[in-house]
Amino acid sequence: MRTSLFEPFVEIDLPLADRRDGKIRASWACGSERRLIVTTDRLSAFDRVLAGVPYKGQVLNQLSAWWFERTADLVPNHVIDLPDPNALLAVEARPLPVEVVVRGHITGVTDTSLWGLYSTGARSMYGYDFPDGLDKNTALPTPIVTPTTKAERGGHDEPITCDEVTERGLLDRDLWDRVQAAALAVFARGVELGSLAGLVLADTKYEFGLTADGELILIDEVHTPDSSRWWMADTYDERLAAGDEPESLDKEVVRRAFADIGYTGDGPIPAVPSEVWSATTSRYIAAYERLTGTTFEPGAYPVGERLIDNLTKAGLL
Ligand SMILES: Nc1ncnc2c1ncn2[C@@H]1O[C@H](COP(=O)(O)OP(=O)(O)O)[C@@H](O)[C@H]1O
Ligand SMILES: [Mg+2]
């Protein structure tokens, strides 16, 4: 198979034990209570992997690392080291069985999104009562936590209320209280640092885990364009006033391109124009550069060989 320079990095096999595969990342046990997490260029939306997008994996890995460092005073996290632009050596955690979505704005594309439900008349959603008169893409009175169950691979996450987290026995009350407090604090930091970078953090998703010692830590990824909706602040007001969608630096372009042709996640994946993918790479890199205030240094492709080289040098293989 011919591998061009910009062939996206979608798959890797490493000689390590206990491989686990997510939609975007693969991970392996790597020493005692450690997990090596490799972020690929795969892109998912509607709970499906739709394509590979060059440099996306590197952006996610390095941008998450940046955020973990800037939120470590609020909640400890899983970062040990970044042995390669696409790899993270992490503390092994037992992921909690809920994904913690925090929403500062009312938005969404699908019928089941917060905006989709609200626009068709719903006022009670996720256990919260919403006031009348909210416009699409505007700020909620206060950020809210809307948990979902963590679906098995191939399934769709199920929205539940905050009360259901404890009622269903997913977490005990004390732990769930600590998780929500941590999530809201990290979200507030995201809003604050985002606004310094001229970006609006509309909503995001966190994962937490417990270490072998029972410590609660923030895991997975933080405030990336995969887990978050990031909007450009400078054009936000005028676009809202004109009834246009905010300019976004996340995968909303992809969601919209698919939604426009009537695809919402079921059945065969239809083709979309190739510009959708190049625009996505540009947006991911722009989000990284704006937020970190640094220039993105693209790692060498093909990623696989480079990765194995770096892991070997770091003594991890
Ligand atoms: N420190 C960690 N320890 C154990 N598992 C982790 C850690 N960080 C993230 N994970 C898990 O690794 C997986 C990340 O892969 P990803 O492709 O993002 O999965 P998903 O398809 O569930 O989004 C997730 O299931 C996440 O819960
Ligand atoms: Mg994930």
Side-chain angles (χ1 to χ4, degrees), residues 190-264:
V191 169
E192 178 198 335
L193 297 186
S195 94
L196 294 176
L199 296 177
V200 175
L201 179 58
D203 56 28
T204 195
K205 182 215 72 179
Y206 304 111
E207 289 191 43
F208 291 85
L210 294 174
T211 66
D213 298 337
E215 187 187 18
L216 176 67
I217 60 171
L218 185 59
I219 63 169
D220 205 44
E221 63 180 323
V222 174
H223 298 164
T224 68
D226 260 18
S227 66
S228 318
R229 283 193 177 88
W230 282 110
W231 294 338
M232 302 288 280
D234 58 350
T235 55
Y236 172 81
D237 287 335
E238 69 191 61
R239 293 180 72 104
L240 201 71
D244 293 332
E245 291 296 321
E247 227 179 310
S248 65
L249 288 185
D250 51 47
K251 61 185 181 185
E252 198 71 355
V253 213
V254 177
R255 288 196 196 96
R256 214 167 291 139
F258 280 92
D260 282 350
I261 53 173
Y263 183 76
T264 52

Side-chain angles (χ1 to χ4, degrees), residues 22-25 35 37 78 91-93 95 150 207 219-220:
K23 288 187 289 292
I24 307 305
R25 297 170 180 80
R35 182 152 285 275
I37 303 177
H78 70 166
V91 177
E92 172 91 61
K150 214 167 147 13
E207 289 191 43
I219 63 169
D220 205 44

Side-chain angles (χ1 to χ4, degrees), residues 23-43:
K23 288 187 289 292
I24 307 305
R25 297 170 180 80
S27 72
W28 293 259
C30 187
S32 164
E33 283 158 31
R34 287 175 179 206
R35 182 152 285 275
L36 182 76
I37 303 177
V38 172
T39 306
T40 71
D41 288 337
R42 298 194 295 254
L43 181 142

